[in-house]
């Protein structure tokens, strides 16, 4: 009992010291947590050093609560790292019954980078779960589908349309589908006709929140 309390105190003191020095330039918690983690988990995280920080901010927060959480946090970090690593490479969305569910997070990422729509689906549904915690005004996510040739123009016009339009230009024929904008912990969905999608055509899904579409973007294709 005494031993673990002392360990807890020591761990917290260590963490606070590390955080304290990082907290001055940064007022948000996640970055300081992320910078604290690598020092503690350098060895187990060596496989994917860059991605572990992204996925493990929650685990890092738990870490501060007590040393008991450390082994679990390590496991979580590895799992997150492989998931994030997959997303960074080739991570197709799981599609069944002409629908898919994808995630957006507080790190400005989707968990997939492509969606394959079966050619025999006359309608298709995209469900979006925002698994982060930040409010919609700070880290809003939606899913907009356009032809790849139209995506940059729609994204730009979405900025002009502004927050009240969920950063999607109203009545724009180039928009094949668009969900509403959601914040952390929220979900949304859109079901759209696939009649305007051609097999072999190049389509893009992206988040139209300002600054997100460069990273939060992937391929939509029609497959047989
Ligand atoms: Zn977004």
């Amino acid at each position: 009992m005494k031993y673990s309390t002392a360990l807890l105190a020591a761990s917290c003191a260590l963490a606070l010291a590390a955080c304290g020095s990082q907290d001055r330039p940064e007022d948000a918690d996640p970055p300081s947590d992320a910078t604290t983690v690598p020092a503690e988990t350098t060895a187990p995280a060596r496989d994917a050093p860059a991605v572990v920080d992204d996925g493990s901010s929650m685990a890092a927060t738990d870490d501060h609560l007590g040393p008991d959480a450390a082994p679990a946090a390590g496991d979580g970090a590895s799992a997150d790292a492989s998931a994030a690593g997959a997303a960074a490479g080739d991570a197709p969305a799981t599609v069944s019954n002409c629908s898919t569910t994808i995630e957006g997070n507080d790190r400005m990422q989707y968990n997939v980078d492509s969606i394959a729509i079966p050619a025999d689906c006359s309608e298709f549904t995209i469900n979006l779960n925002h698994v982060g915690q930040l409010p919609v005004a700070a880290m809003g996510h939606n899913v907009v589908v356009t032809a790849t040739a139209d995506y940059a123009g729609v994204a730009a016009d979405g900025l002009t349309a502004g927050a009240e339009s969920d950063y999607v230009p109203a009545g724009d024929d180039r928009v094949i589908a668009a969900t509403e904008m959601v914040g952390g912990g929220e979900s949304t969905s859109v079901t759209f006709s696939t009649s305007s999608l051609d097999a072999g055509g190049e389509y893009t899904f992206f988040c139209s929140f300002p600054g997100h579409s460069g990273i939060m973007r992937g391929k939509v294709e029609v497959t047989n």
Side-chain angles (χ1 to χ4, degrees):
M1 198 62 166
K2 263 182 180 168
Y3 173 73
S4 74
T5 305
L7 198 63
L8 177 69
S11 165
C12 286
L14 209 67
L16 286 173
C19 287
S21 62
Q22 296 291 340
D23 273 345
R24 280 179 199 110
E26 302 275 355
D27 46 18
D29 273 335
S32 61
D33 284 340
T35 46
T36 307
V37 174
E40 296 165 6
T41 60
T42 299
R46 205 182 300 155
D47 283 348
V51 212
V52 164
D53 299 348
D54 288 345
S56 63
S57 68
M58 305 288 288
T61 304
D62 291 340
D63 220 351
H64 287 251
L65 301 177
D68 289 348
D75 291 343
S78 321
D80 286 347
S82 55
D90 183 25
T94 301
V95 171
S96 64
N97 296 322
C98 297
S99 77
T100 189
T101 298
I102 70 175
E103 295 177 355
N105 64 21
D106 281 345
R107 303 281 177 169
M108 206 196 298
Q109 296 166 326
Y110 290 126
N111 68 330
V112 302
D113 64 6
S114 66
I115 300 173
I117 299 179
D120 59 359
C121 293
S122 57
E123 290 188 328
F124 193 78
T125 298
I126 299 175
N127 303 298
L128 171 66
N129 294 335
H130 190 320
V131 298
Q133 298 179 341
L134 295 172
V136 65
M139 186 54 70
H141 297 318
N142 64 357
V143 177
V144 180
V145 178
T146 67
T148 297
D150 292 335
Y151 124 78
V154 171
D157 291 347
L159 293 183
T160 306
E164 63 273 17
S165 302
D166 279 354
Y167 300 104
V168 176
D172 192 314
D173 289 341
R174 297 172 298 175
V175 176
I176 295 168
T179 70
E180 63 178 343
M181 192 73 69
V182 294
E186 298 175 331
S187 296
T188 185
S189 179
V190 62
T191 297
F192 56 100
S193 167
T194 59
S195 59
S196 56
L197 299 176
D198 299 321
E202 295 187 349
Y203 304 95
T204 291
F205 72 95
F206 65 96
C207 174
S208 65
F209 191 90
H212 288 199
S213 64
I215 295 169
M216 297 188 72
R217 179 156 51 106
K219 183 172 65 171
V220 177
E221 56 189 346
V222 178
T223 58
N224 290 311

